[in-house]
């Protein structure tokens, strides 16, 4: 490819959105948009490019694919042993009302701050049926997970996101000798307005201060009046799996594997793949000793859990392929080039937040967009003598906001799978509340710019 394709580079994203809204099918929409991007970029050689990029994105993102698959395997083991049900039973002693059930879901999601994938899959496996008993619509369950997982892992400087973002900061060379990217990241946290407002809006919704509005209000009313917990007409899925031959697991059989997973992840420098591998080995030994499962039952449960993630893995691969095809068209350069003139003076924090949001929405990859923007924005902020912590925080705030608005992001795909709804249904019900937090964030960054950059 020679240069960029200008405004044409945005065409695949527009086609993706239109097709998804018409068909309500995420995979097919992504596939059509990806093929369009490849045809535009490679003309008649689009098919060889498809095969080559498919292999490339699968190899480059093998860590993500393995993490998702193995986490699904671990969740499958915890559910098969009925340990997850045991922990849910413990929570139910507290969660005696709908509001308390939602608060319990929020608290559990906050506690699982190490990684958003771990957060989403574990929280959903425990709380969705607990919420079901209080006639909480699955889109509301998904909203709480979606508006807690990413904001929490960004705000707590001991998570996979924060460690990755700290490494991006170090790569710019702005960290003084003897300093660390983590310290620079911590200094930016007070200015990460979007995740803060997102959590605030969510808590006010749970407390009833902010009433439900938008599509989620209709869905929740439907759940309370008819017991229908899904956006479409299908009934809740029945538990048809055979029970294991051993005794049912208790609270300790859920808590210990999760604690080992968290501890091992932290020990291996916030590497969730290493953490889940250690947790699987520990859980296997523990369940054998406690006679919860045989080796064959354990392996079968892992495979069953992994297999439930196959559709998610396929969606992730096509989403990564779409991102690569759009980058080949020069979409990132086009968006930044058009907005760069605005990144000056008092509107710098707001402009950075806006661009990070738009790019994350378009490319469905918060980490990738941050890797593009941090090396570009840091020198710009330095040249303007602006507060680097604010500029960096605006990037990371935008990456979270864009992730929540994008129905083909990895978070939306995982949340949809974990709560048994479509990613598009999750995003359209979460969007009104995300936009509220986005507007508040925009006001905050504009206010900061005019007060301190004037």
């Amino acid at each position: 490819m020679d240069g960029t394709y200008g405004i044409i580079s945005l065409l695949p994203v527009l086609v993706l959105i239109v097709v998804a809204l018409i068909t309500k099918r995420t995979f097919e929409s992504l596939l059509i948009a990806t093929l369009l991007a490849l045809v535009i970029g490679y003309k008649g050689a689009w098919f060889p490019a498809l095969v080559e990029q498919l292999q490339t994105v699968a190899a480059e993102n093998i860590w993500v694919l393995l993490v998702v698959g193995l986490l699904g395997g671990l969740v499958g083991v915890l559910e098969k042993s009925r340990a997850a049900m045991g922990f849910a039973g413990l929570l139910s002693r507290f969660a005696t009302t709908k509001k308390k059930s939602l608060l319990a879901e929020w608290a559990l999601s906050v506690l699982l701050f190490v990684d958003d994938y771990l957060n989403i899959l574990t929280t959903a496996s425990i709380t969705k049926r607990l919420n079901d008993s209080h006639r909480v619509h699955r889109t509301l369950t998904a909203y709480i997970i979606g508006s807690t997982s990413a904001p929490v892992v960004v705000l707590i400087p001991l998570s996979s996101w924060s460690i990755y973002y700290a490494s991006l900061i170090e790569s710019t060379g702005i960290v003084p000798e003897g300093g660390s990217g983590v310290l620079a990241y911590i200094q930016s946290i007070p200015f990460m307005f979007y995740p803060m407002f997102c959590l605030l809006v969510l808590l006010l919704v749970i407390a009833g201060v902010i009433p439900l509005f938008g599509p989620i209000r209709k869905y929740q009313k439907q759940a309370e009046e008819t017991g229908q917990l899904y956006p479409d007409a299908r009934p809740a899925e029945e538990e048809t799996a055979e029970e294991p031959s051993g005794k049912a697991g208790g609270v300790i059989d859920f808590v210990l594997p999760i604690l080992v997973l968290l501890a091992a992840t932290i020990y291996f420098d916030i590497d969730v793949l290493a953490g889940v591998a250690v947790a699987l080995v520990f859980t296997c030994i523990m369940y054998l000793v406690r006679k919860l499962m045989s080796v064959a039952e354990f392996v079968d449960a892992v495979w069953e859990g992994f297999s439930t993630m196959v559709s998610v893995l396929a969606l992730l691969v096509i989403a990564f392929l779409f991102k690569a095809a759009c980058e080949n068209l020069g979409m990132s350069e086009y968006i930044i080039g058009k907005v760069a003139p605005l990144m000056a003076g008092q509107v710098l924090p707001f402009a950075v937040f806006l661009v990070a949001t738009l790019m994350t929405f378009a490319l469905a990859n918060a980490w990738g967009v941050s890797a593009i923007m941090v090396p570009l924005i840091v020198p710009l902020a330095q040249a303007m003598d602006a507060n680097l912590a604010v500029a960096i925080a605006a990037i990371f705030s935008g990456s979270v906001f864009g992730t929540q608005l994008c129905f083909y992001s990895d978070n939306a795909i995982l949340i949809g799978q974990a709560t048994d709804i479509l990613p598009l249904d999750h995003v359209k019900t979460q969007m009104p509340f995300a936009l509220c937090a986005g507007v508040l964030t925009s006001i905050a960054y504009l206010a900061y710019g005019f007060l301190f950059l004037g």
Side-chain angles (χ1 to χ4, degrees):
M1 182 197 70
D2 298 321
T4 67
Y5 285 77
I7 196 170
I8 298 298
S9 65
L10 300 178
L11 183 59
V13 175
L14 296 177
V15 169
L16 169 60
I17 295 171
V18 171
V19 174
L21 291 175
I22 293 173
T23 65
K24 300 186 184 302
R25 303 283 294 185
T26 305
F27 182 87
E28 291 86 341
S29 304
L30 276 169
L31 180 59
I32 291 171
T34 300
L35 293 177
L36 174 61
L38 289 171
V39 169
I40 294 173
Y42 293 94
K43 309 297 190 296
W46 66 269
F47 185 74
L50 170 64
V51 175
E52 179 183 351
Q53 290 197 15
L54 185 60
Q55 296 178 70
T56 300
V57 299
E60 290 178 349
N61 296 282
I62 188 63
W63 183 91
V64 172
L65 301 178
L66 286 174
V67 165
V68 172
L70 291 178
L71 277 174
L74 179 60
V75 170
V77 168
L78 296 176
E79 291 187 342
K80 188 76 171 180
S81 68
R82 290 167 287 175
M85 293 176 61
F87 188 77
L90 177 64
L91 281 183
S92 66
R93 298 178 186 176
F94 163 78
T96 54
T97 65
K98 183 179 76 173
K99 183 178 293 187
K100 288 182 179 180
S101 185
L102 298 179
L103 188 60
E105 179 185 1
W106 175 83
L108 181 60
S109 188
V110 170
L111 289 174
L112 297 170
F113 62 84
V114 171
D115 181 75
D116 54 327
Y117 290 177
L118 164 66
N119 191 315
I120 291 167
L121 293 176
T122 306
T123 302
S125 70
I126 295 302
T127 61
K128 62 185 179 183
R129 292 182 182 84
L130 179 62
N131 285 347
D132 288 351
S133 66
H134 295 290
R135 293 198 170 189
V136 174
H137 199 270
R138 285 295 178 93
T139 55
L140 181 52
T141 297
Y143 163 56
I144 293 174
I145 296 173
S147 293
T148 307
S149 55
V152 164
V153 298
V154 168
L155 290 174
I156 297 180
L158 190 63
S159 69
S160 55
W161 283 47
S162 61
I163 296 300
Y164 172 73
Y165 285 162
S167 69
L168 291 181
I169 296 172
E170 285 188 359
S171 68
T172 64
I174 65 171
V175 178
E177 187 176 350
S180 70
V182 173
L183 179 59
Y185 183 86
I186 292 174
Q187 292 172 342
S188 72
I189 290 176
F191 303 102
M192 293 185 190
F193 298 135
Y194 180 77
M196 293 180 186
F197 282 127
C198 184
L199 288 171
L200 175 62
V201 169
L202 172 59
L203 285 174
L204 292 177
V205 169
I206 293 175
V209 176
I210 297 179
L212 294 176
F213 62 95
I216 206 169
R217 179 181 180 181
K218 179 190 72 173
Y219 287 143
Q220 183 54 34
K221 183 178 180 181
Q222 166 190 292
E224 292 173 354
E225 293 179 350
T226 69
Q228 174 59 39
L229 303 177
Y230 296 86
D232 52 29
R234 67 188 176 90
E237 296 178 357
E238 297 293 335
E239 295 292 333
T240 58
E242 295 182 4
E243 298 290 357
S245 57
K247 64 180 182 179
V251 173
I252 191 173
D253 300 302
F254 174 86
V255 172
L256 279 183
I258 295 300
L259 289 178
V260 169
L261 172 57
L262 294 173
T265 298
I266 295 171
Y267 178 79
F268 289 105
D269 297 324
I270 319 298
D271 185 346
V272 184
L273 181 57
V276 71
V278 171
L280 281 169
V281 173
F282 171 84
T283 305
C284 180
I285 296 172
M286 177 182 177
Y287 283 12
L288 288 174
V289 172
R290 289 176 54 76
K291 298 181 179 179
L292 292 179
M293 287 183 177
S294 66
V295 173
E297 288 173 332
F298 183 87
V299 173
D300 287 345
V302 171
W303 280 119
E304 288 174 15
F306 196 104
S307 66
T308 63
M309 293 292 122
V310 170
S311 60
V312 175
L313 297 177
L315 276 171
L316 289 176
V317 169
I318 195 67
F320 294 145
L321 188 61
F322 176 71
K323 170 182 173 290
C326 288
E327 287 182 337
N328 180 64
L329 299 180
M331 179 191 293
S332 301
E333 292 86 345
Y334 175 74
I335 294 175
I336 292 177
K338 286 297 181 182
V339 186
L342 300 176
M343 293 183 183
Q346 296 165 321
V347 297
L348 174 66
F350 168 71
V352 171
F353 171 68
L354 178 63
V355 172
T357 299
L358 292 175
M359 288 182 59
T360 304
F361 172 81
L363 298 176
N365 191 302
W367 286 22
V369 168
S370 297
I372 294 170
M373 290 196 65
V374 168
L376 294 174
I377 298 303
V378 166
L380 178 61
Q382 287 178 315
M384 294 174 55
D385 197 27
N387 189 322
L388 284 175
V390 176
I392 291 170
I395 297 173
F396 301 152
S397 285
S399 71
V400 177
F401 188 27
T403 295
Q404 294 189 326
L405 295 178
C406 181
F407 64 90
Y408 50 96
S409 68
D410 51 356
N411 276 49
I413 292 169
L414 271 179
I415 291 170
Q417 169 69 22
T419 56
D420 306 311
I421 63 174
L422 297 175
L424 187 60
D425 285 327
H426 162 56
V427 171
K428 77 177 184 182
T429 50
Q430 176 178 256
M431 187 175 292
F433 305 98
L435 290 174
C436 287
V439 169
L440 292 173
T441 301
S442 299
I443 294 172
Y445 280 130
L446 285 171
Y448 178 89
F450 282 96
L451 287 173
F452 298 103
L453 298 180

